[in-house]
Amino acid sequence: MSRPEPTFPQYYVGIDVGTASVRAALVDQDGSVVLTAKEPIEIWEPHPDHYVQSSNDIWDKCCHTARRVTQGVDPSRIRGIGFDATCSLVVLDKSFQPLPVNSNGEKDRNVILWMDHRAFGQAERINQTRHRVLQYVGGVMSPEMQPPKLMWLKENLHESCWEKAGHFLDLPDFLSWKATGSLTRSLCTLICKWTYSSETGWDDSFWTTIGLEDLVSDYSKIDRLTNECPTSTPGGPASEKTPKN
């Protein structure tokens, strides 16, 4: 009588980037949490109501926590990895390098944190337009969403940031790009935070109305949608820093 084939556990890694820390969890195939890890991330306040972070720092902490929870685990047993993060804006130049989002010019400080309310006035101006796309965000644009932040960058850091920027990414989309090499954006993110419509796409008149007509001719700075989920891309931008055992 032949012996049954041995079964080996399968695992998933979840990474949650909060305001002040990165948490990772190793979860087994039954949904039980096997191990967790947590590391702090830096927050700077260069001016009142300005809160910035570093995408390099955040990614490094994602790698560190992922390695900690998967130490000793056969990589072939890890079936997937998922990211969750705050509504923060990551700015990269055309070579995928960080661009500073404050007048102090610290290069690595390229993330406008969700609780940064520098764009309060820009959000108010957007709401005054009563544009139809506001229906996708509950009728009111918050300064924590991305269009007001983009307006602020164009109006206040035009030469040092806006003109040099090649990519504006929601933080979760930045993390999936780093892990896979794919710039495919989350449809949920684009609808809830950027005014994208799954039925009609971008509304050119909205961006023109709020003074960001530059994006109409080059939506690739904020959007890279495909019908496929991101998959690992050997040799892509993320290959050297993707978490490994």
Side-chain angles (χ1 to χ4, degrees):
M1 182 176 180
S2 61
R3 294 181 179 180
E5 290 291 329
T7 59
F8 298 96
Q10 306 293 314
Y11 299 101
Y12 301 86
V13 177
I15 296 181
D16 173 44
V17 179
T19 302
S21 66
V22 173
R23 284 89 64 176
L26 181 69
V27 182
D28 68 18
Q29 60 197 27
D30 297 319
S32 298
V33 176
V34 179
L35 192 63
T36 63
K38 177 180 177 180
E39 299 221 8
I41 47 181
E42 293 281 353
I43 302 175
W44 295 275
E45 185 183 5
H47 306 287
D49 281 334
H50 290 215
Y51 296 95
V52 299
Q53 293 183 313
S54 163
S55 63
N56 285 338
D57 178 50
I58 292 171
W59 180 247
D60 284 344
K61 299 304 170 57
C62 288
C63 294
H64 293 163
T65 54
R67 291 188 185 104
R68 286 171 58 188
V69 299
T70 58
Q71 186 173 7
V73 177
D74 183 346
S76 68
R77 302 299 170 195
I78 299 176
R79 307 302 298 166
I81 182 169
F83 296 99
D84 181 31
T86 62
C87 180
S88 300
L89 179 69
V90 181
V91 184
L92 305 174
D93 67 16
K94 296 175 179 62
S95 299
F96 297 95
Q97 298 304 306
L99 271 178
V101 292
N102 59 81
S103 58
N104 297 341
E106 294 93 341
K107 185 177 180 181
D108 280 345
R109 302 180 187 182
N110 65 315
V111 179
I112 301 181
L113 192 56
W114 68 268
M115 64 183 185
D116 184 309
H117 282 185
R118 71 179 74 181
F120 181 85
Q122 283 78 10
E124 286 293 297
R125 283 155 49 194
I126 291 176
N127 291 329
Q128 288 170 6
T129 68
R130 298 184 180 180
H131 198 282
R132 57 180 172 269
V133 300
L134 294 177
Q135 66 182 308
Y136 306 135
V137 295
V140 177
M141 180 72 66
S142 164
E144 297 172 7
M145 295 178 181
Q146 311 307 3
K149 295 174 185 175
L150 295 178
M151 288 176 65
W152 191 95
L153 290 174
K154 181 176 181 179
E155 293 170 4
N156 294 273
L157 298 177
H158 191 273
E159 294 184 2
S160 63
C161 182
W162 184 258
E163 288 293 336
K164 296 179 180 179
H167 308 276
F168 298 104
L169 300 103
D170 221 75
L171 182 53
D173 289 334
F174 167 80
L175 297 174
S176 67
W177 165 69
K178 289 291 288 184
T180 67
S182 170
L183 281 170
T184 301
R185 310 300 174 89
S186 162
L187 184 60
C188 176
T189 294
L190 291 183
I191 292 174
C192 296
K193 306 174 189 178
W194 298 75
T195 75
Y196 184 83
S197 167
S198 60
E199 296 179 352
T200 59
W202 295 111
D203 190 321
D204 295 352
S205 68
F206 169 70
W207 298 103
T208 301
T209 298
I210 67 172
L212 298 183
E213 61 280 350
D214 332 31
L215 297 177
V216 174
S217 59
D218 189 12
Y219 277 124
S220 65
K221 288 186 176 182
I222 63 172
D223 167 27
R224 188 69 63 86
L225 280 171
T226 73
N227 293 322
E228 300 177 357
C229 293
T231 55
S232 180
T233 306
S239 59
E240 293 183 1
K241 300 208 71 177
T242 300
K244 298 176 182 177
N245 272 346

